Amino acid sequence: MATVRLLFILFSCLWISTEVVARTGNTITNKTNVPVRPRVVRVGVLFTLNSYIGRSAKPAIFAALDDVNNDTTILPGIKMEVILVDTNCSGFIGTREALQFTKNEVVAAIGPQSSRVAHVISDVVNELHVPVLSFGATDPTLSSLQYTYFVRTTHSDYFMMNAVADVIDYFGWKEVIAIYVDDDNGRGGITALGDALAKKRSKISYKAAFAVGASTSDISILLNAVNLMESRVYVLHVNPDTGLSIFSLAKKLGMMGNGYVWIATDWLPSVLDAIEPADPDTMNLLQGVIALRRHTPDTDLKKRFLSRMKNSKNKETIGLNSFALYAYDSIWLAARALDAFLNEGGNISFGSDPKLHDTNRSALQFTSFRSFESGPQFLKKVLATNFTGLSGQIQFDGDKNLIHPAYDIVNIDGTSRRIGYWTNYSGLSVVAPEISYTKPPNISSSNQHLSRVIWPGETTTKPRGWVFPNNGKPLRIAVPNRVSYLDFASKSKSPPGVKGYCIDVFEAAINLLPYPVPRQYILYGDGHTNPSYSEITDEVAHGNFDAVVGDITIVTSRIRVVDFTQPYMESGLVVVVPVKEVKSSPWSFLQPFTVQMWCVTGALFLFVGVVVWILEHRINDEFRGPKRRQLMTIFCFTFSTLFSAQRENTVSAGGRTVLLIWAFVVLIINSSYTANLTSILTVQQLTSHIEGIDNLISSNQPIGVQDGSFIADYLTSEFQIAKSRIVNLKSEQDYIDALDHGRVAAIVEERPYVEILMSQTKCKFKIVGQEFTKSGLGFAFQRDSPLAVDLSTTILQLSENGDLQRIHDKWFKTFSCFAQSNDSSSNQLSLSSFWGLFLICGISCFLALVTFFVRVFLQYKKYIRDSEEGEEDGERVVTPVSARRTFRSTASFKDLIGFVDRKEAEIFSDKSKKRRRS
């Protein structure tokens, strides 16, 4: 009996030892190596309990835990437990507790809410293969490439900052000031905002960062500093627990009134949603603020959960924010992924990591840390999970981001009034994201819409978004101190110290602005040579001046560094050459018409003469007689119509019709010839061997340009003209002397300056070729200056109401040099100008001839028939020889010509004699 008992004890010990050896964590492996489902799985949860996010997330997590454990379809036979740790807003505590989790063999960690803690523990879980499902760490720099086991169960601030940038762009603001906490979450979010604004050609003009736990006085000093800056658009990206205090300080400093714009990130709705009902004093403090709330669809599942939490006995928190919904879904994500993992034969086992070992003097006990051996397989199940939760669709894309990021745009006006939505699918819209995703994507600017906004100060007028910095410090405006073409801009003894066309336009545009603009004009240059305009624009780009007002040409190199207004004067490069006067030619009277025109006109004169002669010859004695006389009549008749001096009168209907149309043709030809000849003889004729920019480039002769302008660099870079050919000219007199004495073959200059030069020299020089660039003069400001946009609008107003032209006429004389041409051939009238008129005349002559010959032919046939009938009756009529030949039955062509040549009256006389005899 003792032996049996001893054998039983040995067998039991052997069995127990086998089970102990096989046990790894919560999973037991039987003798056949088939994994056994554990009875309990543990999930670690760590965040700050005493915070707006923590107080909302805690009851939601425990509600999710109850729902998972009560759902028989998820983890059947397995109880899920959570190990809750309060990080107390401490990165050190969060890191310590995260390390402690690994000793408790948790399969996943929920949290943390702090991006700073998430950065640290992400390195830890990467080594121990435990997925971290964070519903609160939104720092965009927590990337999936660096932190493999970090899974964000909410949307990254990258998307939220793109939404903020779209809101800023929608209202047309170009500069904002970012106020944020200087931690991982704050820096990462503001960096993402800067990148998003750059895509919209906007920027963060100043980053106002304050330390974690900064005192009230430190924040007040920071707000005072930003209040002295130009931008009045503030983006506030802070922690929920400190944000309201910033608004209180801003209220005391007068920064919550009219003209200010405050855009808060998702921390503000998180605070307001967690405070229910809303405090009237808090809502009054936040009046006019725009905020972004993480969008969660209003599903029945969400409504039932919120109703359940409201009616629960748990009174730790009154309201639930969006982070609570994401925390609830994080528990369900871990449960569903774990269920799928176990159903496919996954084994929850923990072992020692060979990379972790204690040194001789280490007290950290690295060997006690347990690595989740099946962590990579479990992570794949987490990322492959797809279900609909309280926060919407829980599904990850290839970058481990939740799909369909969306935000509610809310406006604080007594309540959190929703004015629209944002999605990365269609941008800003008043249509819910669930509906937007059913339509084709459209992010065009015309498709961006938001409802009416109530701004700080209870106004619906959109704030301008900027003021003059330092409480109205005057703008420092550079004005070129020119030594030539002083009508554009020059020094003046009377205020404001400068004068000229450009100054008058700028002042007129400034006066149309709805707000005052203090300004100070500063002359730039030594007064002996024209300053370099490229250097002036560089000074503006570097911040040494706020703007430059003068005859600044808008060119590509300058647009890259400064912003220009709408052009207030058109410009372009032209070629000006020296010319000499040429006396009129003795044959100038032939120049009005081209050779072709002269030939066709002469031929038409003869043709009309022949037509009229044919039509009148049979009935008009003035067109009969000896052949020499008839030829003279044909030649002289139509030419005499030029002077209305023809002696012959037309009596036929066809002849009169042709003559009437011909008289009209003669009138037009005569008038055109007279006008063109007058122009040729009265306009001064000029000649030059330079015909345009192409001819000038190939000539290898010196070219004059204005000193200080961009033209020299333009010619050398665009046309590869040697610098040795460029001659800088300082004044108008230099232009005249250089052209008169042959120092330059031509001058390349902008058209406005050429107009002044031509006026001063009374058209002594000329423009050849075409204007080969198109640009304009504008006012230059620092990049993204809102004044450039506002002044562009007022310049357009000046153009529309005629003030711009009146200012131009005040400074510049009107002249007509550009209407004159040096090429007489360009004034010649060609056949193309008259072919329509000649065609009408030709058609009328043709129709008259056809009518005439048809009528004659009919007369001839009748005449032949009557003659044949007379011969049959035996009548003998004494007629001329030519007439008797017509009696023959077969008439020749010569007989027909003879019939046509006879006078019509003679034919009718013969017919009458026949009738009397018969």
Side-chain angles (χ1 to χ4, degrees):
M1 188 69 179
T3 303
V4 174
R5 185 178 296 132
L6 179 61
L7 290 174
F8 177 77
I9 292 172
L10 291 175
F11 177 79
S12 299
C13 292
L14 180 62
W15 180 82
I16 291 173
S17 63
T18 303
E19 291 294 296
V20 170
V21 172
R23 181 184 298 271
T24 55
N26 293 320
T27 299
I28 299 174
T29 304
N30 58 22
K31 298 177 181 179
T32 59
N33 294 325
V34 177
V36 177
R37 292 171 68 91
R39 296 181 179 179
V40 176
V41 291
R42 298 185 181 90
V43 175
V45 178
L46 70 163
F47 52 82
T48 301
L49 297 179
N50 188 25
S51 65
Y52 284 106
I53 294 178
R55 287 192 293 270
S56 289
K58 180 181 177 181
I61 287 175
F62 281 102
L65 185 65
D66 292 340
D67 292 342
V68 169
N69 289 328
N70 292 331
D71 192 334
T72 58
T73 62
I74 299 295
L75 299 176
I78 300 176
K79 181 181 180 181
M80 177 179 281
E81 295 180 352
V82 299
I83 301 175
L84 182 63
V85 175
D86 183 7
T87 61
N88 197 25
C89 295
S90 171
F92 174 75
I93 296 176
T95 304
R96 184 193 65 187
E97 296 300 332
L99 294 174
Q100 189 66 30
F101 279 162
T102 63
K103 296 182 179 181
N104 295 323
E105 298 182 345
V106 297
V107 295
I110 308 298
Q113 72 187 60
S114 168
S115 297
R116 178 176 48 172
V117 177
H119 275 280
V120 177
I121 67 172
S122 292
D123 285 320
V124 176
V125 297
N126 271 2
E127 189 66 33
L128 301 178
H129 302 164
V130 177
V132 173
L133 312 182
S134 177
F135 61 89
T138 57
D139 178 13
T141 61
L142 285 165
S143 66
S144 59
L145 296 177
Q146 181 180 2
Y147 304 113
T148 306
Y149 286 85
F150 176 82
V151 180
R152 200 190 324 264
T153 58
T154 184
H155 296 297
S156 166
D157 281 349
Y158 167 83
F159 300 106
M160 181 174 61
M161 292 308 176
N162 275 271
V164 172
D166 279 354
V167 171
I168 292 170
D169 182 65
Y170 176 80
F171 291 108
W173 299 311
K174 292 301 181 183
E175 292 188 5
V176 302
I177 293 178
I179 304 174
Y180 63 100
V181 179
D182 192 15
D183 59 8
D184 290 331
N185 185 66
R187 288 190 298 270
I190 297 305
T191 300
L193 175 62
D195 295 339
L197 287 175
K199 298 176 183 178
K200 307 292 183 181
R201 288 206 62 187
S202 301
K203 68 177 183 179
I204 300 175
S205 60
Y206 183 73
K207 295 181 179 180
F210 57 90
V212 178
S215 64
T216 301
S217 60
D218 292 337
I219 297 177
S220 181
I221 293 173
L222 183 68
L223 292 178
N224 266 311
V226 300
N227 196 31
L228 296 176
M229 297 179 183
E230 181 176 311
S231 179
R232 282 291 184 265
V233 181
Y234 304 127
V235 177
L236 190 58
H237 184 53
V238 295
N239 299 323
D241 300 278
T242 59
L244 291 180
S245 62
I246 295 177
F247 279 119
S248 298
L249 292 173
K251 183 79 171 180
K252 294 178 181 178
L253 296 174
M255 299 174 64
M256 298 296 294
N258 195 1
Y260 288 86
V261 178
W262 288 89
I263 301 176
T265 53
D266 63 338
W267 68 266
L268 181 56
S270 299
V271 172
L272 298 179
D273 292 342
I275 302 175
E276 193 176 304
D279 181 15
D281 293 336
T282 300
M283 302 306 288
N284 183 58
L285 171 67
L286 301 174
Q287 191 278 323
V289 174
I290 293 178
L292 281 79
R293 177 193 289 121
R294 296 175 187 273
H295 176 75
T296 54
D298 292 329
T299 60
D300 293 336
L301 180 65
K302 173 184 171 182
K303 292 177 181 177
R304 288 195 300 269
F305 174 76
L306 294 178
S307 177
R308 165 188 162 194
M309 296 302 294
K310 185 176 182 180
N311 298 326
S312 67
K313 296 180 180 180
N314 189 348
K315 298 299 180 183
E316 292 185 19
T317 183
I318 299 176
L320 295 177
N321 53 35
S322 60
F323 287 101
L325 306 181
Y326 285 107
Y328 179 93
D329 289 341
S330 298
I331 294 293
W332 270 98
L333 173 62
R336 289 177 179 274
L338 188 59
D339 184 61
F341 171 73
L342 294 175
N343 288 338
E344 294 186 3
N347 183 18
I348 300 179
S349 57
F350 292 83
S352 299
D353 190 339
K355 296 180 182 179
L356 300 176
H357 59 276
D358 296 327
T359 60
N360 294 333
R361 299 181 180 180
S362 174
L364 296 179
Q365 298 180 353
F366 283 118
T367 56
S368 64
F369 296 147
R370 311 284 287 173
S371 174
F372 187 7
E373 295 178 344
S374 299
Q377 293 76 21
F378 178 53
L379 176 64
K380 292 181 180 179
K381 292 300 177 183
V382 170
L383 297 176
T385 303
N386 182 2
F387 69 98
T388 300
L390 298 180
S391 60
Q393 188 73 16
I394 304 300
Q395 182 182 356
F396 297 95
D397 60 18
D399 295 326
K400 297 199 320 188
N401 292 317
L402 282 179
I403 64 172
H404 298 166
Y407 293 86
D408 297 341
I409 313 297
V410 299
N411 181 213
I412 312 300
D413 182 30
T415 59
S416 298
R417 182 172 59 91
R418 185 165 53 200
I419 60 174
Y421 306 89
W422 180 90
T423 66
N424 64 340
Y425 186 76
S426 58
L428 300 174
S429 175
V430 294
V431 179
E434 294 75 30
I435 300 176
S436 297
Y437 279 110
T438 62
K439 301 177 180 179
N442 189 349
I443 57 174
S444 62
S445 58
S446 61
N447 194 54
Q448 306 300 294
H449 300 289
L450 289 176
S451 299
R452 182 174 59 95
V453 179
I454 306 297
W455 302 101
E458 299 185 5
T459 177
T460 58
T461 303
K462 185 197 77 173
R464 190 169 71 244
W466 64 276
V467 294
F468 292 100
N470 296 333
N471 292 326
K473 181 180 178 181
L475 291 177
R476 301 180 73 251
I477 300 175
V479 177
N481 191 11
R482 298 190 58 89
V483 296
S484 63
Y485 298 108
L486 301 181
D487 289 338
F488 284 98
S490 61
K491 184 178 181 180
S492 174
K493 296 181 179 179
S494 59
V498 289
K499 63 180 181 179
Y501 167 71
C502 302
I503 306 301
D504 284 1
V505 173
F506 183 76
E507 287 289 328
I510 285 288
N511 292 333
L512 288 178
L513 294 175
Y515 49 87
V517 180
R519 52 200 177 275
Q520 175 187 6
Y521 294 105
I522 303 173
L523 288 171
Y524 184 90
D526 56 12
H528 301 293
T529 59
N530 290 330
S532 170
Y533 283 19
S534 296
E535 291 180 1
I536 302 179
T537 53
D538 288 341
E539 291 286 341
V540 174
H542 295 152
N544 297 326
F545 295 103
D546 298 305
V548 54
V549 172
D551 47 332
I552 309 296
T553 305
I554 303 173
V555 295
T556 304
S557 60
R558 297 169 185 171
I559 291 177
R560 293 193 181 104
V561 295
V562 295
D563 281 351
F564 279 93
T565 63
Q566 169 80 16
Y568 59 87
M569 190 178 199
E570 292 185 357
S571 181
L573 294 181
V574 293
V575 178
V576 181
V577 297
V579 293
K580 60 182 179 179
E581 185 174 353
V582 179
K583 295 182 180 180
S584 298
S585 170
W587 303 99
S588 297
F589 68 91
L590 295 176
Q591 293 179 358
F593 290 158
T594 61
V595 175
Q596 185 185 28
M597 179 66 181
W598 279 117
C599 294
V600 174
T601 302
L604 191 61
F605 268 90
L606 294 176
F607 175 70
V608 172
V610 171
V611 171
V612 173
W613 178 84
I614 293 173
L615 297 175
E616 295 291 325
H617 178 68
R618 300 185 73 229
I619 58 176
N620 193 342
D621 292 336
E622 294 182 358
F623 287 85
R624 299 183 67 83
K627 294 181 179 180
R628 181 177 296 178
R629 176 186 172 188
Q630 293 184 54
L631 288 176
M632 291 299 297
T633 300
I634 293 173
F635 183 79
C636 296
F637 175 76
T638 50
F639 284 96
S640 62
T641 57
L642 284 170
F643 318 102
S644 300
Q646 70 275 15
R647 297 180 300 170
E648 297 81 6
N649 295 319
T650 55
V651 296
S652 67
R656 290 179 177 180
T657 301
V658 170
L659 187 61
L660 179 64
I661 295 175
W662 175 247
F664 178 73
V665 174
V666 168
L667 175 65
I668 299 300
I669 293 176
N670 195 13
S671 301
S672 302
Y673 176 85
T674 303
N676 208 22
L677 181 61
T678 302
S679 175
I680 291 173
L681 295 178
T682 56
V683 175
Q684 188 182 43
Q685 297 297 297
L686 307 173
T687 182
S688 173
H689 64 281
I690 300 296
E691 299 176 355
I693 184 63
D694 294 333
N695 181 257
L696 180 62
I697 293 173
S698 60
S699 67
N700 292 323
Q701 297 187 28
I703 303 172
V705 299
Q706 184 179 169
D707 187 28
S709 72
F710 73 97
I711 302 175
D713 293 335
Y714 178 80
L715 294 178
T716 55
S717 61
E718 294 295 327
F719 298 107
Q720 285 74 49
I721 295 177
K723 291 185 178 180
S724 59
R725 294 180 57 192
I726 305 299
V727 178
N728 289 318
L729 305 175
K730 297 181 180 181
S731 64
E732 295 96 322
Q733 190 59 45
D734 284 349
Y735 281 51
I736 298 172
D737 294 341
L739 289 172
D740 285 344
H741 298 96
R743 288 173 49 206
V744 295
I747 290 176
V748 177
E749 185 56 279
E750 295 180 75
R751 196 175 188 91
Y753 304 107
V754 174
E755 292 179 356
I756 297 177
L757 178 67
M758 301 286 271
S759 177
Q760 292 176 347
T761 59
K762 298 180 180 180
C763 306
K764 184 178 180 180
F765 307 109
K766 71 165 184 174
I767 293 177
V768 292
Q770 299 296 321
E771 192 171 314
F772 57 93
T773 64
K774 287 290 184 182
S775 58
L777 306 184
F779 304 126
F781 289 85
Q782 293 181 10
R783 292 302 299 268
D784 301 319
S785 172
L787 258 180
V789 178
D790 290 354
L791 277 180
S792 294
T793 303
T794 57
I795 289 173
L796 288 176
Q797 293 178 14
L798 290 174
S799 178
E800 291 171 356
N801 61 26
D803 287 344
L804 197 60
Q805 185 61 44
R806 283 189 285 271
I807 298 174
H808 179 276
D809 295 341
K810 170 187 173 182
W811 288 96
F812 305 119
K813 296 179 181 179
T814 304
F815 44 90
S816 57
C817 295
F818 300 102
Q820 301 175 1
S821 172
N822 67 303
D823 188 5
S824 61
S825 63
S826 63
N827 292 330
Q828 288 184 321
L829 297 174
S830 64
L831 184 62
S832 60
S833 302
F834 296 94
W835 72 266
L837 192 63
F838 289 171
L839 180 63
I840 294 174
C841 182
I843 292 175
S844 63
C845 292
F846 175 75
L847 293 177
L849 289 175
V850 170
T851 303
F852 171 78
F853 283 115
V854 169
R855 180 171 174 272
V856 170
F857 182 72
L858 293 176
Q859 288 180 353
Y860 178 68
K861 286 184 63 177
K862 186 176 180 182
Y863 184 78
I864 292 297
R865 187 172 59 251
D866 292 345
S867 299
E868 290 176 351
E869 290 176 356
E871 289 181 356
E872 291 175 358
D873 294 338
E875 296 178 357
R876 184 175 181 82
V877 181
V878 179
T879 57
V881 177
S882 60
R884 286 199 300 269
R885 283 199 297 265
T886 62
F887 294 148
R888 292 189 297 234
S889 58
T890 304
S892 64
F893 178 74
K894 188 176 182 180
D895 296 335
L896 176 60
I897 296 300
F899 179 80
V900 173
D901 187 58
R902 290 183 63 190
K903 194 172 182 180
E904 193 171 297
E906 295 178 0
I907 297 174
F908 289 141
S909 176
D910 290 345
K911 290 183 179 181
S912 299
K913 291 178 180 179
K914 289 179 181 180
R915 292 193 188 97
R916 287 196 297 270
R917 291 176 181 176
S918 61

